[in-house]
Amino acid sequence: MRFPGARRPTLLQAQRWAGTLTAIFAFVACAVSGEMGAVMVTLFPLALAGASLGGARFRGRAQWAWTALLGGALLIFAAQVLAGHLDVVLAAALFAELLCIHRLWHRRSGRDEVILLLLSLLLLCAGAALAAELAFGFAFLAFAVSGTWALALTHLRSAIEAGRGPAGSAALLDSRRIATPALFAGLAALALAGIAGAAVVFFAFPRVTIGGLRRTSRHAPVAGLGDRVDLSQHGTVADDPRVALRVRLDPEPEGGPRDLAMHWRARTLSHWTGQGWRSQGAAIPAMRLPQRGPGRPSAVLGADIEIVGSFADGVVLTPEGWPVSVDFRRPGSPRPPAQRLYRNGAGDLFYQPVDGNDLRYFVAVDRDEPDLQALRGRGGQYPPWLAPDLEVPALDARVQALAQRLGGGKDPADAVAAIERWLGTALRYTRELPGEVADPVADFLFVRRAGHCELFSSAMVLMLRSLGIPARNVTGYFGGRRTGAGYYAVRAGDAHSWVEVYFPGAGFVRFDPTPASARGSAQEGLRARAVLLWDGLQQRWRAFIVEYDLITQARAMRRIAQLVDETGRRLAGKGNAPGGRARVTAMVLAVVLIGAGVIVLLRRWGGRRQRRGSFALTADQERAVRLWRVARTMLRRSGMETAPATTPRELARRMPAAGEVAVLYSDARWGFSPLSASTARAALKRLRAALREQVATDRAA
Amino acid sequence: MTPAWKRRLAFTRMGRWYTGLTIGIGLAATNTGNNLLFLVLGLLLASIIVSGILSEQTLKGVHLERRLPAVATAGQPALIGLRARNGKSRAPSFSLEIRERGGDVAGHGFLVVLPARESGEVAYRFVPQRRGLHRFRQLEIATRAPFGLFEKSRPLDVPGEMVVFPRAVPAPPLSAQALARAGEQPEDRIGAGLEVHSLRDHRPGEDSRSIHWKSTARAGRLIAVDREQERRRRICVVLDQRRLRGEALERAVEQAASLVVRELEGGAEVSLAVAGDFLAAGSGEAHRCAALRLLALLEERGADAAPPRPEAEAAVIEVRE
């Protein structure tokens, strides 16, 4: 670590910087929730800059003004909370921010620094209650490191001030030799140890919750696919890299492709407005979804779908195929889901309530769809409820003529295939929007001969309807990019539009006239990758941290127990032998004990080597040291206390009984005189006898 | 003997707040089931654990010894040194407070850092208020490192004793009788005094400074002079403490001490006679310390104790209440 100006900071500077950093990261942890409001978010950096530039000038002044301001703010927040205009946690966070700002402007003593750290901790807690974002995680990590610095340095400062007094501490506090890079690195390592400990506590702490005061979720603005399409817009279709859906498929697609070629159906738009489409028909609660036909579905695909909160507009997105079931219940959760399923006449699925939060559900679809051969020869007799999908608006004559040319007189299946093929090959895909034109479809087909997916699908629907074939426009997403977190990310830029055509006995069948290479988005840029990377991290954060609950914990513990069992069986070499866990436990204990023994031996060996390295003792000297230790122990046991600093000669003067041992020790240890084991033993024997005699005399006296 | 493993743990003010917050956050986390609060709780608990481990590491392997001053006098400041040695091979110890515990003396010193395998020394100022024996029992080494949340301390047996000499007060003036006997007294034998004892022939090899030049000039040969042996003034300070109690005894001891010091500084040989004890005449720094030590440890005696026995050949100065 190199500090500006190539000079190390003084201890006082380093301590203040660490405290400031801690407050900043606590504020960031709170601010990433997005609930604090622009004013309060802007206020903190401004106040911080003000405190850094001119804080010293105002320190300790106009306290009454600060008190009045804080008191006023407290009253306002309390009134808003009581009136129900402000969440109590948010109010607490805002007030903690104001207190932090106040303390940043008044940092005079070590006590102020301690209060600032405690306020920062409160702010972090408020952030934990407000935000569940990954950004909080990064702020938390930064807080853990800077907080460790700040705590340790603040303690050091307080200890120096208390231990040496104001005058004596000044030199140390202004010293540039204490806050060294090594100290910061050591403290950072300490913080890492703290984070590791936090992880252990986090995963092992029993997740038994009372659930008394749960904070309600905030409502966020939603940007879904919408229930209408306007083809007369200006500009360019933007490539939005934001993730709209996260999908896990069961079974996984073969080969685990990077890009998924899958239509994610949102809703149908049947009514032509002249400039686009709109949906029709109200949805009613659906207890069970209608089956496609008799018999069990043969090819069921399960999709675990998570709609990102900002795209969750009440529509249930389904993968290609006939939806068999939709389940909003979280696997393993005993609670009933809050959402209910609805279905409209067109078969679109919806849910209520829409709360702006991410929605996760499991949908199963029957992917067994008839091919073109199977669709041929089904005739042109359609039920009356298909009237909206046969509705032909006032069309440009050329559109009708083109439809006739491509599909007139053919079997409906062949006509559909021909029109789809022609559109996909004769026309070009572009993201440029046509702008306001009288007939966007005619303009697309005969003037520009290029357009985006909605124009392709709209043209096909209108051409089919002009031939008397029921068809409708469908919106949704196409694609999905595999992420490192094990799910497919469908992004906002993957929004797509295609066609469903009705065939008697087969129902609506999907056709997509947009050229295959132009479907979905073309997002390969740095930003798109960064968004995907961030989303992947966010998912891991949510999976392992935010949504870690009692069920997950129990599952993880069971998994650990299973692993232990399996390991035990493998070690025992028996497939299903009982007592595997006990065996592993015994082995782990044995390994721990052996490890501890090795560590103790290594330390002893290291210590001895170190002692020998610094001043190697001869055998006689070591014997003298041992003799001296034993003699002192004997003296102590006989009630003769000796201070550690007592020299042998002093001891000999005070206690004549120890005179011989003292002389032997001094001569051998420091005078390099020989000392045999027998001599030492004899001296000890005589000392013991003398001490006994002395103790007896004392008792008699 | 205090076992080496014994530790004392106390909350600091910040530690109390920190622990209170931790409990509060724990309750909030349990109540709401908010995992991020559990995460914060984990960090706080882990910090407490890390703090405990590091404070233990800081105290471990630190050896203490006390350095007592050679001389301490009641009412005058004395510096007592506290020496700490870090016996660990790698880990330094931080923020060490070393303080007296359990003895007659209170004092403490603070070491910011004690590097591995090094020693550090701090001293505290101690003003003894009474004479006599001051006992030291234990030294307590305490640390609040690394975060100042808790104070962990470890007592170490470092017994010691310090004899504090009586308070220095102005010595009482001498009586006329005593003054009359003051000064060196010649003895009728050859010595190294100033007075002339006899004249004789100078012996070859003898120190030329012994030549008496006037007589040499008169006699025409080398004449040497022998000088008289001079005996130093002998004073015996007598203190009969048999009837003295409390403050009266203290005042008498202080006067006796001041008399001893004054007479020794004046070049006399001083003996000290107290009830039940006697210090033979002597001079020099060692004798001064011995006399003051005797006075420092002087205790009340009953009427049946042996009376003081003044030295017969010395001028007696008796200390009265």
mmCIF file of all heavy atoms in Angstrom, chain A residues 46-61:
data_model
loop_
_atom_site.group_PDB
_atom_site.id
_atom_site.type_symbol
_atom_site.label_atom_id
_atom_site.label_comp_id
_atom_site.label_asym_id
_atom_site.label_seq_id
_atom_site.Cartn_x
_atom_site.Cartn_y
_atom_site.Cartn_z
ATOM 1 N N LEU A 46 -21.917 14.992 -0.131
ATOM 2 C CA LEU A 46 -21.683 16.431 0.022
ATOM 3 C C LEU A 46 -21.220 16.755 1.440
ATOM 4 O O LEU A 46 -20.263 17.507 1.637
ATOM 5 C CB LEU A 46 -22.972 17.201 -0.287
ATOM 6 C CG LEU A 46 -23.380 17.248 -1.766
ATOM 7 C CD1 LEU A 46 -24.700 17.981 -1.940
ATOM 8 C CD2 LEU A 46 -22.288 17.917 -2.600
ATOM 9 N N ALA A 47 -21.913 16.155 2.410
ATOM 10 C CA ALA A 47 -21.546 16.401 3.815
ATOM 11 C C ALA A 47 -20.151 15.876 4.105
ATOM 12 O O ALA A 47 -19.378 16.491 4.847
ATOM 13 C CB ALA A 47 -22.563 15.730 4.725
ATOM 14 N N LEU A 48 -19.825 14.753 3.499
ATOM 15 C CA LEU A 48 -18.501 14.154 3.715
ATOM 16 C C LEU A 48 -17.415 15.065 3.161
ATOM 17 O O LEU A 48 -16.389 15.324 3.818
ATOM 18 C CB LEU A 48 -18.450 12.784 3.040
ATOM 19 C CG LEU A 48 -17.198 11.975 3.262
ATOM 20 C CD1 LEU A 48 -17.075 11.592 4.724
ATOM 21 C CD2 LEU A 48 -17.233 10.710 2.413
ATOM 22 N N ALA A 49 -17.670 15.570 1.932
ATOM 23 C CA ALA A 49 -16.699 16.480 1.325
ATOM 24 C C ALA A 49 -16.570 17.737 2.181
ATOM 25 O O ALA A 49 -15.460 18.231 2.420
ATOM 26 C CB ALA A 49 -17.141 16.826 -0.089
ATOM 27 N N GLY A 50 -17.699 18.249 2.652
ATOM 28 C CA GLY A 50 -17.678 19.445 3.501
ATOM 29 C C GLY A 50 -16.902 19.207 4.779
ATOM 30 O O GLY A 50 -16.101 20.041 5.206
ATOM 31 N N ALA A 51 -17.122 18.032 5.386
ATOM 32 C CA ALA A 51 -16.430 17.711 6.644
ATOM 33 C C ALA A 51 -14.930 17.602 6.413
ATOM 34 O O ALA A 51 -14.130 18.012 7.254
ATOM 35 C CB ALA A 51 -16.976 16.413 7.215
ATOM 36 N N SER A 52 -14.538 17.053 5.249
ATOM 37 C CA SER A 52 -13.105 16.897 4.962
ATOM 38 C C SER A 52 -12.449 18.248 4.711
ATOM 39 O O SER A 52 -11.314 18.481 5.122
ATOM 40 C CB SER A 52 -12.903 15.999 3.734
ATOM 41 O OG SER A 52 -13.537 14.787 3.935
ATOM 42 N N LEU A 53 -13.186 19.127 4.017
ATOM 43 C CA LEU A 53 -12.582 20.407 3.639
ATOM 44 C C LEU A 53 -12.667 21.444 4.761
ATOM 45 O O LEU A 53 -11.702 22.146 5.036
ATOM 46 C CB LEU A 53 -13.263 20.945 2.371
ATOM 47 C CG LEU A 53 -13.070 20.073 1.115
ATOM 48 C CD1 LEU A 53 -13.906 20.600 -0.030
ATOM 49 C CD2 LEU A 53 -11.598 20.036 0.716
ATOM 50 N N GLY A 54 -13.838 21.525 5.376
ATOM 51 C CA GLY A 54 -13.994 22.612 6.351
ATOM 52 C C GLY A 54 -14.468 22.161 7.712
ATOM 53 O O GLY A 54 -14.911 22.991 8.511
ATOM 54 N N GLY A 55 -14.407 20.858 7.950
ATOM 55 C CA GLY A 55 -14.928 20.332 9.210
ATOM 56 C C GLY A 55 -14.191 20.873 10.420
ATOM 57 O O GLY A 55 -14.800 21.173 11.445
ATOM 58 N N ALA A 56 -12.861 21.027 10.264
ATOM 59 C CA ALA A 56 -12.054 21.464 11.411
ATOM 60 C C ALA A 56 -12.471 22.852 11.879
ATOM 61 O O ALA A 56 -12.411 23.173 13.066
ATOM 62 C CB ALA A 56 -10.583 21.456 11.018
ATOM 63 N N ARG A 57 -12.925 23.681 10.916
ATOM 64 C CA ARG A 57 -13.299 25.047 11.248
ATOM 65 C C ARG A 57 -14.585 25.081 12.088
ATOM 66 O O ARG A 57 -14.771 25.928 12.932
ATOM 67 C CB ARG A 57 -13.490 25.830 9.948
ATOM 68 C CG ARG A 57 -13.300 27.315 10.112
ATOM 69 C CD ARG A 57 -13.356 28.011 8.773
ATOM 70 N NE ARG A 57 -12.334 27.524 7.852
ATOM 71 C CZ ARG A 57 -12.374 27.693 6.529
ATOM 72 N NH1 ARG A 57 -13.389 28.286 5.976
ATOM 73 N NH2 ARG A 57 -11.403 27.241 5.778
ATOM 74 N N PHE A 58 -15.479 24.145 11.790
ATOM 75 C CA PHE A 58 -16.786 24.172 12.463
ATOM 76 C C PHE A 58 -16.863 23.232 13.655
ATOM 77 O O PHE A 58 -17.872 23.197 14.336
ATOM 78 C CB PHE A 58 -17.885 23.796 11.463
ATOM 79 C CG PHE A 58 -18.038 24.803 10.355
ATOM 80 C CD1 PHE A 58 -17.421 24.604 9.126
ATOM 81 C CD2 PHE A 58 -18.790 25.954 10.547
ATOM 82 C CE1 PHE A 58 -17.555 25.537 8.114
ATOM 83 C CE2 PHE A 58 -18.925 26.887 9.531
ATOM 84 C CZ PHE A 58 -18.301 26.684 8.308
ATOM 85 N N ARG A 59 -15.786 22.452 13.847
ATOM 86 C CA ARG A 59 -15.827 21.420 14.877
ATOM 87 C C ARG A 59 -16.152 22.022 16.248
ATOM 88 O O ARG A 59 -15.489 22.953 16.701
ATOM 89 C CB ARG A 59 -14.468 20.721 14.919
ATOM 90 C CG ARG A 59 -14.535 19.317 15.442
ATOM 91 C CD ARG A 59 -13.240 18.620 15.164
ATOM 92 N NE ARG A 59 -13.046 18.391 13.733
ATOM 93 C CZ ARG A 59 -11.849 18.274 13.169
ATOM 94 N NH1 ARG A 59 -10.760 18.365 13.881
ATOM 95 N NH2 ARG A 59 -11.757 18.049 11.873
ATOM 96 N N GLY A 60 -17.184 21.506 16.854
ATOM 97 C CA GLY A 60 -17.543 21.945 18.199
ATOM 98 C C GLY A 60 -18.344 23.227 18.240
ATOM 99 O O GLY A 60 -18.761 23.667 19.292
ATOM 100 N N ARG A 61 -18.581 23.851 17.078
ATOM 101 C CA ARG A 61 -19.339 25.098 17.063
ATOM 102 C C ARG A 61 -20.796 24.828 16.712
ATOM 103 O O ARG A 61 -21.107 23.838 16.045
ATOM 104 C CB ARG A 61 -18.760 26.045 16.008
ATOM 105 C CG ARG A 61 -17.411 26.603 16.397
ATOM 106 C CD ARG A 61 -16.991 27.630 15.388
ATOM 107 N NE ARG A 61 -15.639 28.103 15.631
ATOM 108 C CZ ARG A 61 -15.015 28.969 14.848
ATOM 109 N NH1 ARG A 61 -15.617 29.452 13.788
ATOM 110 N NH2 ARG A 61 -13.798 29.343 15.121
#
